[in-house]
Amino acid sequence: MVEDMNQVEVKVFQVGDLVKGRVTKVEEKQVIVDLEGSKLDGIIPISELSSLHVEKASDIVAEGQELTLEVTKVEEEAVILSKRKAEAGEAWKRLQESYERGETIETEIKEVVKGGLVVDLGVRGFVPASLVEDHFVEDFSDYKGKTLTFKIVELDIEKNRLILSHRAVLEEEKSKMRKQSLESIEVGQVMEGTVQRITDFGAFVDIGGVDGLVHVSQLAYEHVEKPSDVVEVGQKVKVKVLSVDRDNERISLSIKETQPGPWANISEKAPKGYVLTGTVKRLVSYGAFVEVFPGVEGLVHISQISHKHVATPHEVLKEGQTIQVKVLDVNEQDQRLSLSIKELLEKEDEVKDYELPEESKGFQLGEMIGDKLKDLK
């Protein structure tokens, strides 16, 4: 009769049933639970305590704890249970809803493994290394125990596959910041930014969550061969907004527009009569343009190149040549500078005329001959 009663008790449980149990004993490799309404022991193998690897059962449960469990096997003397599967069923349902809604999930990093991070959301979630941050991370060892916010990027219940991304959260936040920044940025605005990237054609500067391009021509008033000669990554710079394309999220910036122009105070730097050293930049039919300060070119008119007749400036000068010039006139408002090479050659010509050693000697010799003739008479 007792045997019949036991059989009746066993039939109460079916594989897949969810049952309530209270932990009565925590052993090294399993946990014993008291099942409500049954005299059969419930046993939870250590492998069924969590979706993650468990070293000690006592790390997961404690005596007296009430648990919801799933029946995995019914034996004559005991019922084999799983805490992991019971939690997974509810977890998958909850995660599926979050995935469909595009919600974020905040959770703690439980393990750092080869290739990424592992979290416990009732089921094992994996975060590939490439989806942890929006920048390269060499060592993830200090991520264990950190709490981060994630988005589900892949969910497959049948394959028990859950892939999460913290990078997606960061990129979404940056996208929101970009839109907000784009709405507030106006043409002509002067802002402080940080150089993020340098290319052959310019530098990208972060101004409040959105990157703008400073074209190489807008880096400085003087000619710039390589942007890296003028700015470096991480440098704080002042920029002026030249244009904003909100639809395509493009911003054009200028560093040189925030700096004093090369012609500022030119009347003080190059007053009339001042002698400067410059470089011949361009030769034209009517003269030569000479750069005397970075971004400041003055014209040496063809009539001011030499005392001798010059048919074309190419006869006397060449581009890249370093010469001395004298300031004839300066107009800061119109950004015009008149220069002369000839003015500095006049003194040399005068010295040559003054010395005339050959003619002088000839004249003295004539006087001496005249004197001798007088003596003969």
Side-chain angles (χ1 to χ4, degrees), residues 281-335:
K281 287 294 184 178
R282 289 179 294 138
L283 294 175
V284 293
S285 59
Y286 53 86
F289 285 94
V290 179
E291 185 179 57
V292 290
F293 296 107
V296 176
E297 291 183 8
L299 174 65
V300 178
H301 190 267
I302 192 168
S303 63
Q304 290 296 326
I305 292 177
S306 173
H307 290 288
K308 299 176 183 178
H309 174 71
V310 177
T312 170
H314 293 82
E315 293 177 6
V316 183
L317 303 170
K318 62 181 179 180
E319 291 182 359
Q321 183 179 348
T322 300
I323 58 172
Q324 281 198 315
V325 292
K326 183 177 181 180
V327 179
L328 298 181
D329 188 44
V330 57
N331 188 325
E332 188 171 321
Q333 186 175 351
D334 295 335
Q335 297 186 355

Side-chain angles (χ1 to χ4, degrees), residues 202-253:
F204 286 92
V205 177
D206 177 8
I207 46 172
V210 59
D211 285 354
L213 173 65
V214 181
H215 190 265
V216 63
S217 63
Q218 292 295 327
L219 286 170
Y221 281 103
E222 62 267 26
H223 176 69
V224 177
E225 286 288 343
K226 293 189 301 180
S228 56
D229 292 339
V230 182
V231 292
E232 59 184 20
V233 173
Q235 182 181 344
K236 299 287 185 183
V237 293
K238 191 175 286 187
V239 292
K240 183 177 180 179
V241 180
L242 299 182
S243 67
V244 182
D245 182 345
R246 293 185 172 85
D247 293 333
N248 296 305
E249 295 189 0
R250 290 179 182 172
I251 300 175
S252 294
L253 305 170

Side-chain angles (χ1 to χ4, degrees), residues 266-277 324-330 337-340 343-344 347:
I266 194 67
S267 298
E268 297 176 13
K269 293 188 289 184
K272 188 174 180 179
Y274 210 63
V275 177
L276 302 168
T277 299
Q324 281 198 315
V325 292
K326 183 177 181 180
V327 179
L328 298 181
D329 188 44
V330 57
L337 195 61
S338 296
L339 306 171
S340 174
E343 287 284 316
L344 299 177
K347 290 182 179 179

Side-chain angles (χ1 to χ4, degrees), residues 67-124:
L67 303 173
T68 298
L69 307 161
E70 182 176 322
V71 177
T72 59
K73 190 176 181 182
V74 180
E75 297 180 346
E76 191 172 336
E77 298 294 330
V79 179
I80 309 303
L81 305 162
S82 173
K83 177 177 178 288
R84 176 179 65 83
K85 287 187 176 180
E87 291 176 341
E90 286 299 315
W92 282 119
K93 183 180 178 181
R94 184 178 67 254
L95 291 167
Q96 181 74 46
E97 291 175 354
S98 294
Y99 181 46
E100 291 172 356
R101 293 172 184 166
E103 297 173 341
T104 57
I105 299 168
E106 189 174 68
T107 190
E108 182 184 334
I109 308 300
K110 294 293 186 181
E111 296 177 19
V112 176
V113 297
K114 185 179 180 180
L117 311 174
V118 174
V119 299
D120 183 10
L121 291 167
V123 296
R124 184 181 187 274

Side-chain angles (χ1 to χ4, degrees), residues 251-265:
I251 300 175
S252 294
L253 305 170
S254 173
I255 291 176
K256 80 176 185 181
E257 288 286 320
T258 66
Q259 301 170 342
W263 288 87
N265 302 317

